[in-house]
């Protein structure tokens, strides 16, 4: 099976909203981002109204700021995959922490047992987080670089590679394929 890789940047054509409720939005906001933000705001309000109650002057910022922050940072291009949004990466990370990837055995010939899933403690690096919280583990960016004392010391003898490149024409490839196919018939 061949795998194709896209090495060029994809086109991103989105519709934009240039005014909203009589307010000029300048260059325009992406409509999908506006819809995403509206859904996040509605879910956030639906979550907070039973807990805190109707928004009042001291709690308005609690109702407004988190959905806007989630929308602003969540709609950016992902860190690891440019075609994904960060909110998708966050959702996948939470899903992985809670559920893990389901192993596929024999191309789906049988379902995996519960014993074949990764345990939760291996999925979530609780040891590292606890170590960082207690300042036992030095973060990687603060660690000192350890250099080899003698760069001439090696594990074994040197390996010499003797390679020659050959350009084979179509006629030679046909002759070789005839030889191998005629050899299989005997």
């Amino acid at each position: 099976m061949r795998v194709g890789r896209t090495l060029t940047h994809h086109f991103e054509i989105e519709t934009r909203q240039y005014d909203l409720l009589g307010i000029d939005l300048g260059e325009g906001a992406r409509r999908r981002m506006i819809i995403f933000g509206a859904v996040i705001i509605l879910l956030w309000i639906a979550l907070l109204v039973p807990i805190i109650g109707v928004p009042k002057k001291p709690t308005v910022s609690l109702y407004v700021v988190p959905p806007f922050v989630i929308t602003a940072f969540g709609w950016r291009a992902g860190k690891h995959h440019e075609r994904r949004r960060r909110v998708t990466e966050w959702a996948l990370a939470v899903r992985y922490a809670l559920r893990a990837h389901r192993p596929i055995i024999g191309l789906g010939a049988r379902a995996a047992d519960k014993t074949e899933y990764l345990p939760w403690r291996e999925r979530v690096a609780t040891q590292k987080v606890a170590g960082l919280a207690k300042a036992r583990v030095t973060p990687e960016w603060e660690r000192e670089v350890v250099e080899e004392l003698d760069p001439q010391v090696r594990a074994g003898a040197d390996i010499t590679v003797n390679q020659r490149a050959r350009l084979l024409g179509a006629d030679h490839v046909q002759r070789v394929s005839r030889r191998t196919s005629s050899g299989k018939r005997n």
Side-chain angles (χ1 to χ4, degrees):
M1 181 161 106
R2 294 180 184 223
V3 177
R5 303 275 187 235
T6 304
L7 300 176
T8 58
H9 197 331
H10 68 285
F11 289 108
E12 192 172 318
I13 301 172
E14 289 187 306
T15 57
R16 292 183 173 260
Q17 186 73 30
Y18 293 98
D19 63 350
L20 186 65
L21 303 173
I23 300 170
D24 184 26
L25 298 177
E27 293 181 13
R30 300 175 184 153
R31 285 191 181 156
R32 293 176 99 192
M33 185 176 78
I34 292 173
I35 293 169
F36 172 74
V39 169
I40 294 294
I41 288 172
L42 290 175
L43 290 174
W44 185 252
I45 289 174
L47 177 75
L48 286 186
V49 165
I51 297 171
I52 298 176
V54 180
K56 296 181 177 126
K57 202 170 192 177
T59 61
V60 168
S61 61
L62 186 63
Y63 277 88
V64 175
V65 173
F68 280 109
V69 170
I70 291 170
T71 303
F73 288 108
W75 200 255
R76 292 183 181 175
K79 289 181 180 179
H80 307 292
H81 304 282
E82 287 185 15
R83 292 182 151 194
R84 285 186 182 159
R85 301 288 176 204
R86 284 193 182 174
V87 71
T88 307
E89 289 183 352
W90 297 340
L92 290 174
V94 168
R95 179 184 173 268
Y96 179 73
L98 296 177
R99 232 181 106 173
H101 294 299
R102 302 295 185 207
I104 299 172
I105 299 168
L107 296 174
R110 73 170 179 89
D113 296 332
K114 291 282 186 186
T115 59
E116 294 172 323
Y117 296 157
L118 277 176
W120 188 78
R121 66 182 174 277
E122 289 181 24
R123 284 180 274 156
V124 180
T126 54
Q127 303 281 336
K128 288 184 180 178
V129 173
L132 283 173
K134 294 177 182 177
R136 289 184 185 165
V137 178
T138 307
E140 192 171 335
W141 60 85
E142 292 181 359
R143 291 183 189 154
E144 294 181 20
V145 178
V146 178
E147 295 182 16
E148 239 180 73
L149 297 176
D150 187 9
Q152 299 297 322
V153 175
R154 294 197 168 86
D158 290 342
I159 300 173
T160 58
V161 179
N162 188 9
Q163 294 180 343
R164 291 189 327 188
R166 288 188 182 159
L167 180 62
L168 302 176
D171 54 343
H172 180 73
V173 173
Q174 285 177 351
R175 275 187 270 143
V176 169
S177 66
R178 278 190 217 128
R179 273 190 257 152
T180 57
S181 63
S182 65
K184 289 181 181 176
R185 290 182 189 166
N186 293 335

